[in-house]
Amino acid sequence: MVVRRLSGLQKDVLRLYRDCLRAVHKKPEESRPQFYAFARREFERNLDIKRTDVKAIEYLLRIGRRRMEQYMSPNVRDIGTV
């Protein structure tokens, strides 16, 4: 079996995704499905970006971290349909 190593950037993307999923547990139980769906949708939206497009990936990581901070604020109780 061939195991391919992940690049540092790929690890960063996976870390952000896991952090998003973990942060959802701090939200009210009734709104968690919307937060899960939103996180998944945002990551799936960018699946077509090439691994070699480092600038785009780094930009999206910065945006993703910023958004996660905003949405994980205690004042945000529901994400609604975005």
Side-chain angles (χ1 to χ4, degrees), residues 11-41:
K11 288 178 184 179
D12 289 344
V13 170
L14 290 174
R15 186 177 308 118
L16 177 61
Y17 186 67
R18 280 193 309 268
D19 289 346
C20 288
L21 296 181
R22 285 186 188 118
V24 170
H25 290 287
K26 297 176 183 168
K27 293 298 176 184
E29 202 166 326
E30 60 275 359
S31 64
R32 287 180 191 170
Q34 290 89 355
F35 279 100
Y36 278 123
F38 178 76
R40 183 178 179 108
R41 202 169 40 247

Side-chain angles (χ1 to χ4, degrees), residues 51-82:
R51 276 186 242 168
T52 55
D53 195 352
V54 176
K55 286 183 182 181
I57 296 169
E58 288 176 341
Y59 170 76
L60 289 168
L61 278 169
R62 284 192 304 274
I63 296 294
R65 288 184 189 116
R66 228 177 285 137
R67 272 191 180 174
M68 188 179 80
E69 283 180 22
Q70 290 173 342
Y71 292 137
M72 293 309 130
S73 162
N75 299 330
V76 178
R77 312 246 335 126
D78 192 2
I79 200 150
T81 53
V82 177

